[in-house]
Structure formats: C-alpha cells, structure tokens
Amino acid sequence: MTMTPATGKKAGGTMPARGILFRNLRHHGGIVALIVLLVFNALFTPNFLHLQTLFVNISQVATIAIVAMGMTLVIATGGIDLSVGAVMALAGALAPLIFQSEFAMAYPVLGLTAAIALPLAVAAICGVFNGAMVSILRVQPIIATLILFISGRGIAQVLTNGNLQTFKNPAFSYLGTGKILGLPFQGWLALAIAVLLYWVVRRTTFGRYLLAVGGNEQAARLSGGPVRSVKIGAYMICAFLSGIAGLIVVAINSASDAARNGNLMELDAIAAAVVGGALLQGGRAPIFGAILGAIIIQLVKYTLLANGIQDEVALIAKALIIVLAVYVQQTRKE
C-alpha cells in the first residue's frame, strides 16, 4: 500500500501506528510528561505523597503559574517579557518599606491596603512602560524588557539598601501562608486568575484582538484593531501578575530579599508558557496550559533536588525542556 505525498498517510486514508503515536505525543506531550513525573516521584522519591510535600509544591507552582499566565498573554502577541523577575523584586521590596513606615504603624488597615495596592500599581506601570517601548517606539521586545530586567532589580536593591527587609503583618502574610479547605491560598488565587484570564481571552473583545495581533499583526492593524493598546494591555497584565507573585513570595517569608525574589523567574515563566502550548510566534493563549507547564517545571526541579541532583542541573533541564517544546511546535507546522 502506498503513501500519499501530501499527508504522509497510506493511500487507504489510514496513518501508520507510529505516526499516530507521534501525533498524539505532540498534542498531549505535556500531560504525558506530567504523568511520568508523578509516577516516578510516587515510586522513587521519599515523602512525595506526604501532605507537606503537596503544600510546598503547590506554593511553588502558584507563583510560577501566575507569572506564566501573564507571560502567555505577552507571547500571544508575538512578544516576550524578560523583566518579570525584576518586577517581582521591585513589588516585593515596596511592601515591607510601607509596613515599616510611620503611616502604616498609625493606620494599620490603610497601611495594609497601601502595601498591596502601591506595589501592584508600580508593577502595572512597569508593564505599561514595556508595552509602550514595544508598541509605540517599536523596540524589539527582548531589548525593551531587558531594560527593566537590568534596572528593576537594581532599583529594588537601592530602595532596600541591599538588605533583607523583615516585617510582621499576619493579614498580609495570609497571601503566602493562608489555607482554604486545607490547601494553600496562593493555589486558589492562581486558579481564580486562570478562570478570569480564560474568560478574558475567550469571551472579550480584548481577547479576540490579542489573538489577532499575534496571529497577523499587519492584518489586525489594517482591519482597524487597537494593536498598540492590546500590546500595552498584555504587558501591563503580565507585570501586574508578576507583582502579585512578588508579594506572595514576600508574604511567605515575612521578608523581602531584592537580590533573590523572582530570580530566574523569567526562565520558569517562559518555559511553563511554551510547555503549556503557547506559540513563540504568537496567536495562541492557552491559559490552563500555562498552569500545566508550571506544574511540570516545578516537578522537574523538585524531582532533581529531592534525588540529590544539583540545582545547576535543574537549570539545564529547564533549558532542554524549552528546546524540546520549541521543536514540537516546529513539527506541528510540518
């Protein structure tokens, strides 16, 4: 039986078993990888099935997932954001400084509100800056966001004098240590954000334009689409979510370390977004895929560390995951 040259299928219309297997792996590779990681850890990693291990992993996954969902929106426009870790550091540096102020001590409720609202506002402004650089000044996204990647963490360290900033505020700490129905609060928060963003992408005009800009920016512009506003909005949401992740990290530790908060998060977020199905050329925004990718990235890191493999190897593994995900994307086009 011969193969048709256009599809690679047999003349009878059926595909060889090996082709079917490869196609399924391309489309469901993330789920397969997750199952493999879960089974491996359940069998070979001590204490993996303990509740404490679950809580730790959910806490770590939540911050990656929140940033990865924002990164997914940016990638959907055909861009990239290297500044997410620096924005986390900047937002995280502001909260303790507000708690340490006389205003927050005199007015605890207003101080708590300011410690959440002001860092998130600054984070959103950072996103607007990135979006304006990309959409108005036409700077390449990797260069535009590199500016804040370098300066954002530097500003955070200047604000804190390079020192660890500690504070005590149980209400704020709930962001990182609270539980709902026995599960970490930040896990529920990540899920709520996912549902909201899924609705935005699927049901709103902004979401339709977001995918249109990434799919064909020139066509979107010629059809009268608000290309600049959509790009600025995507970068602003990404930075805002990075600010939330930065506050969660600070709340977990009741301290802010500008040198460490969000360090290498841009790698985790990009990896999670790509593994979750985001196309680097734009046009797709798989929000729940970003959560799947975040779980995989966290489990890879946990698996290596729990089995005595150095953290540096985890970085190499993440890089290889990105390469593999990009390869799978390329094969989908063929």
Side-chain angles (χ1 to χ4, degrees):
M1 186 176 290
T2 59
M3 305 287 288
T4 60
T7 63
K9 296 181 180 180
K10 292 183 179 181
T14 60
M15 180 180 292
R18 183 167 54 184
I20 295 174
L21 176 62
F22 184 64
R23 184 185 64 182
N24 288 332
L25 286 175
R26 284 186 298 176
H27 290 280
H28 306 290
I31 296 176
V32 173
L34 177 60
I35 293 173
V36 170
L37 284 167
L38 290 173
V39 171
F40 177 87
N41 282 291
L43 294 176
F44 302 108
T45 303
N47 302 321
F48 177 72
L49 298 179
H50 288 191
L51 286 178
Q52 186 60 36
T53 301
L54 175 65
F55 294 155
V56 170
N57 278 308
I58 289 177
S59 298
Q60 295 294 325
V61 165
T63 52
I64 299 173
I66 289 171
V67 181
M69 286 186 281
M71 185 69 73
T72 296
L73 297 183
V74 170
I75 292 177
T77 69
I80 202 79
D81 191 346
L82 299 182
S83 68
V84 291
V87 172
M88 284 181 64
L90 183 56
L94 289 172
L97 295 178
I98 293 172
F99 283 127
Q100 294 169 4
S101 67
E102 294 182 1
F103 170 80
M105 294 179 183
Y107 306 97
V109 175
L110 292 178
L112 174 63
T113 303
I116 295 175
L118 182 59
L120 294 182
V122 171
I125 291 171
C126 289
V128 172
F129 171 81
N130 285 336
M133 292 287 289
V134 171
S135 63
I136 298 176
L137 299 182
R138 301 294 182 88
V139 179
Q140 287 291 328
I142 195 170
I143 301 300
T145 58
L146 190 63
I147 296 172
L148 271 176
F149 171 84
I150 297 172
S151 63
R153 192 174 299 278
I155 294 172
Q157 291 180 302
V158 168
L159 290 174
T160 60
N161 293 319
N163 299 322
L164 184 71
Q165 301 293 319
T166 61
F167 65 94
K168 290 183 179 181
N169 190 295
F172 182 85
S173 296
Y174 188 85
L175 285 173
T177 60
K179 290 183 174 63
I180 297 177
L181 299 177
L183 296 177
F185 171 80
Q186 59 264 46
W188 292 106
L189 179 60
L191 182 60
I193 291 172
V195 172
L196 176 61
L197 290 182
Y198 182 85
W199 176 80
V200 168
V201 171
R202 298 293 180 183
R203 301 296 182 183
T204 68
T205 302
F206 172 81
R208 290 192 290 271
Y209 278 125
L210 179 82
L211 301 181
V213 168
N216 191 324
E217 181 175 333
Q218 187 64 19
R221 182 176 285 108
L222 292 175
S223 66
V227 175
R228 289 183 177 179
S229 299
V230 167
K231 285 190 172 184
I232 292 174
Y235 281 94
M236 183 183 70
I237 293 172
C238 182
F240 183 83
L241 294 179
S242 299
I244 292 177
L247 293 183
I248 289 174
V249 172
V250 170
I252 291 173
N253 301 313
S254 291
S256 173
D257 186 350
R260 295 176 62 86
N261 190 353
N263 190 33
L264 297 179
M265 178 56 79
E266 54 280 343
L267 174 60
D268 286 346
I270 294 171
V274 173
V275 170
L279 300 178
L280 292 176
Q281 66 269 27
R284 288 190 64 195
I287 299 300
F288 286 100
I291 294 181
L292 174 64
I295 294 172
I296 291 173
I297 295 301
Q298 171 58 25
L299 281 179
V300 167
K301 180 167 62 175
Y302 174 83
T303 301
L304 294 174
L305 295 178
N307 288 277
I309 300 175
Q310 295 179 343
D311 192 33
E312 290 77 7
V313 178
L315 295 177
I316 298 174
K318 292 175 188 177
L320 292 176
I321 289 172
I322 296 176
V323 172
L324 179 60
V326 172
Y327 169 74
V328 170
Q329 289 185 8
Q330 294 299 320
T331 59
R332 284 179 179 174
K333 302 176 188 176
E334 297 174 358

